[in-house]
Amino acid sequence: MASPRRHVLAAPLALMLAGQLLAGASGEALSANLRSTSSVRRNPLLDNYRKWSRAYEKDAQEAEAAAAKYSYMTQALQTGGSGGSAVSRAVHQEMNRNGAKKLAEAVWAFEKMMRDPAPKRAAEAAAKAREPYMKEYVAYRDVGGKYDAAAEQYALLAGKDMQLANELTRFQNQYALEGNQGQANEFKGQAKHLVKQIGGEEKLAKEYHSMAKRIDAELPKIYDMANEAATYAAYTQNPKGAVADFQLLPFTVAPPLAMPPPMR
């Protein structure tokens, strides 16, 4: 590829050269005069442009050579000529140099992991094994909640009945002060009966609350049993521990990269 560089001469320099040519100056004198004039009138920016142009020209030549190489290889493979084996070797050498084999193996291994049905079967088996335990878990939790709610209701009822028993006791004392012993005894009996009822309500509240706590303590055990059953069921379907495809999606296969030299 030809270089696009052009030598641009200033007008005075061009006139001087033309005069020397017309006067029949020798080639040595002309070259010496050109060098001396150029050294006086050198342009740093023009020198940089020339340097960059040479670098671009070198890159273009390398790109053309690479394009010609791959074009030849492609044509040889398409025609199936005698150079096919040599081209094939060259292709394999180039692929090995670029690490294409390792990349292809990594991509295929990643693809096999994505297509492996074992993780999906393991998840389905785990969910099926966990289901009966979780049903019991929910049932226990609901029953425990009912016991706790009943205990709270009995405690509230006992509190209200205690207020009523206190009212009846005040009525009893009032009637006793007024000398109406019959009415006082009636209120005394009602208050006594109510206090006895309060004792039963408080007892039930404590029992129900205790039962709710016992049920609540069993819930983690049922949950652990569900996890153990699920883990075992998953293992039977995926003993090698293959990773699920949704866990692989955030990752990708990267081509082999040259490691930088160690710092000294």
Side-chain angles (χ1 to χ4, degrees):
M1 180 177 179
S3 171
R5 294 175 298 175
R6 294 180 180 179
H7 297 286
V8 180
L9 301 178
L13 178 59
L15 293 175
M16 181 179 64
L17 291 176
Q20 290 182 357
L21 288 173
L22 292 174
S26 65
E28 291 79 2
L30 181 63
S31 299
N33 202 350
L34 179 61
R35 286 195 299 271
S36 63
T37 307
S38 299
S39 62
V40 174
R41 300 178 178 273
R42 291 186 69 85
N43 188 337
L45 182 59
L46 183 59
D47 291 341
N48 285 334
Y49 281 134
R50 287 172 179 169
K51 181 174 65 175
W52 296 335
S53 177
R54 286 193 295 270
Y56 294 151
E57 182 178 2
K58 182 180 178 182
D59 293 340
Q61 290 173 354
E62 292 178 354
E64 287 180 351
K69 175 183 176 182
Y70 285 108
S71 177
Y72 164 74
M73 294 165 64
T74 303
Q75 290 176 2
L77 288 176
Q78 289 176 348
T79 58
S82 59
S85 59
V87 172
S88 178
R89 288 194 299 272
V91 170
H92 284 297
Q93 290 175 359
E94 188 69 13
M95 291 178 68
N96 289 334
R97 185 180 70 82
N98 293 328
K101 184 175 184 296
K102 292 182 179 180
L103 178 61
E105 291 174 351
V107 170
W108 176 235
F110 190 82
E111 181 69 16
K112 288 195 295 184
M113 293 171 67
M114 290 289 292
R115 294 172 179 264
D116 193 348
K120 183 179 179 181
R121 291 199 300 260
E124 293 173 350
K128 187 175 181 180
R130 182 183 283 110
E131 184 177 2
Y133 291 94
M134 294 311 297
K135 285 183 177 179
E136 291 298 324
Y137 180 91
V138 172
Y140 262 66
R141 185 188 61 191
D142 292 345
V143 170
K146 291 178 180 179
Y147 270 107
D148 201 23
E152 185 177 354
Q153 290 296 324
Y154 274 112
L156 291 175
L157 183 60
K160 292 180 179 180
D161 286 346
M162 181 60 68
Q163 293 177 358
L164 180 57
N166 291 333
E167 288 290 331
L168 294 174
T169 302
R170 282 197 293 270
F171 288 142
Q172 171 198 345
N173 294 334
Q174 182 65 32
Y175 279 111
L177 289 174
E178 295 177 355
N180 191 345
Q181 194 61 40
Q183 197 69 28
N185 290 337
E186 183 177 351
F187 280 107
K188 181 180 179 181
Q190 292 178 6
K192 186 177 180 180
H193 176 76
L194 195 55
V195 168
K196 184 178 180 181
Q197 180 176 316
I198 291 171
E201 293 168 349
E202 290 177 343
K203 181 181 179 182
L204 288 175
K206 290 179 182 179
E207 290 178 355
Y208 286 172
H209 183 67
S210 177
M211 180 61 71
K213 290 180 63 176
R214 287 170 55 189
I215 293 174
D216 187 65
E218 294 297 320
L219 291 178
K221 299 178 183 178
I222 299 175
Y223 192 81
D224 289 342
M225 287 189 290
N227 286 336
E228 290 176 3
T231 301
Y232 177 76
Y235 174 78
T236 60
Q237 299 298 323
N238 186 15
K240 294 182 179 180
V243 182
D245 54 358
F246 68 89
Q247 294 175 306
L248 295 171
L249 290 178
F251 301 93
T252 186
V253 181
L257 302 176
M259 297 299 294
M263 298 182 64
R264 299 181 180 274

